[in-house]
Structures are given as C-alpha cells and as structure tokens.
C-alpha cells in the first residue's frame, strides 16, 4: 500500500485575565480568570458532528490541542465558555496550523 501522510493539527487558544482597576489606576490585587474550552469536531457529510478532542483546563488561560487527523473528513474547531461559567464578553485569540504528516 502507498504511504498516505496523516496531517497534524496544532491549535492554541489564549486569553487575558480580567484585572480589576482600583482608584487612580492602582492595582487592588484582584483578577478573574474566565474559563474557555477548545473543542475539535469531526463533521459528517450530513452535517452531524462528533467530538474528537477537547482541552478543558480550569486553572489556565490557554487551551491547546496537538493531534493527528485522519484524512477524508471535515473538521471544526470551536471555542466555548466552559460549563457552569457565568456569561461574559471577553476577547481571545485562536491560532492553528495544519501541517502535512510525517513518516514517523
């Protein structure tokens, strides 16, 4: 059989803490960590989705996924507020790279 490389996905989600500002711009020493999760879905021809991987840390302000993806599927990355999180409006950054697979 011919060798078919399996692509590798590297994805990272990052966001800042929400730091409270004190009087006259002084730092009062309090900050909130909003809790975001990163999910990877395999999407079927009929539009159905199947969860393949998730990064769900509750103590960090980053989530990362590094894995090999089987060929022939459509993939979807999703950023969501973690279950139980209070509603919030907060900026984040999502970066990803899909590289051809290696032989090893």
């Amino acid at each position: 059989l011919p060798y078919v490389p399996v692509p590798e996905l590297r994805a990272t989600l990052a966001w800042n803490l929400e730091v409270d500002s004190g009087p006259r711009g002084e730092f009062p020493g309090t900050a909130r960590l909003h809790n975001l999760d990163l999910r990877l879905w395999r999407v079927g021809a009929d539009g159905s989705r199947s969860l393949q991987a998730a990064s769900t840390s509750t103590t960090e302000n980053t989530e990362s996924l590094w894995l090999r993806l089987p060929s022939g599927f459509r993939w979807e990355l999703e950023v969501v507020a973690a279950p139980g999180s209070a509603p919030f409006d907060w900026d984040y950054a999502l970066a990803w790279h899909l590289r051809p697979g290696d032989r090893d």
Side-chain angles (χ1 to χ4, degrees), residues 40-49 70-76:
L40 176 69
W41 299 88
R42 185 175 70 196
V43 181
D46 62 354
S48 62
R49 299 188 323 162
S71 304
F73 295 98
R74 198 174 115 214
W75 300 93
E76 182 180 304

Side-chain angles (χ1 to χ4, degrees), residues 9-15 36-39 53-57 60-67 77 94-95:
L9 171 70
R10 297 177 182 186
T12 297
L13 169 66
W15 63 98
L36 298 173
D37 289 344
L38 180 60
R39 298 176 183 165
S55 181
T56 60
S57 172
E60 305 293 332
N61 66 324
T62 62
E63 303 288 353
S64 295
L65 295 173
W66 290 45
L67 59 145
L77 282 171
L94 175 62

Side-chain angles (χ1 to χ4, degrees), residues 1-39:
L1 292 174
Y3 169 73
V4 177
V6 176
E8 184 177 88
L9 171 70
R10 297 177 182 186
T12 297
L13 169 66
W15 63 98
N16 293 324
L17 293 172
E18 183 176 356
V19 178
D20 295 326
S21 60
R24 300 183 313 272
E26 297 172 9
F27 176 56
T30 59
R32 280 180 294 290
L33 173 63
H34 296 296
N35 191 2
L36 298 173
D37 289 344
L38 180 60
R39 298 176 183 165

